[in-house]
Amino acid sequence: SLGGLNPVTQISGAKQRLMNLGFECGELNDDETGEFSAAVQEFQQKHNLNVSGRLDQATKDALLDQHGS
C-alpha cells in the first residue's frame, strides 16, 4: 500500500524507518548488508544504545519511538 511500512521486525521495515530518519542503508530489501549494519551503528550511537550494528530489541524500540510508527 502507498506509504505503508513493513514491520520493524523485518530488515526491510527497519531500513524504511532508518531511511526516513536520514540514515542511508542501501536498497530497501531484507538483505543485511554492510551499509545496513553501518546505518544501524550510526543510529545506535546517536541514540545512546549499545553499538552492535545488529537489529536488537532496544534498537527496534528506539526506531519505532523516533519514527513514530
Side-chain angles (χ1 to χ4, degrees), residues 17-37:
R17 287 166 178 83
L18 286 165
M19 290 287 286
N20 288 345
L21 292 168
F23 297 91
E24 179 59 47
C25 54
E27 292 186 42
L28 298 179
N29 56 30
D30 283 316
D31 295 338
E32 290 189 55
T33 63
E35 277 182 291
F36 172 69
S37 293

Side-chain angles (χ1 to χ4, degrees), residues 37-62:
S37 293
V40 171
Q41 287 177 338
E42 187 180 345
F43 177 84
Q44 290 169 329
Q45 185 172 24
K46 181 175 181 179
H47 296 284
N48 299 314
L49 300 168
N50 180 44
V51 179
S52 66
R54 294 181 178 210
L55 192 59
D56 58 21
Q57 190 61 51
T59 303
K60 291 177 203 173
D61 292 343

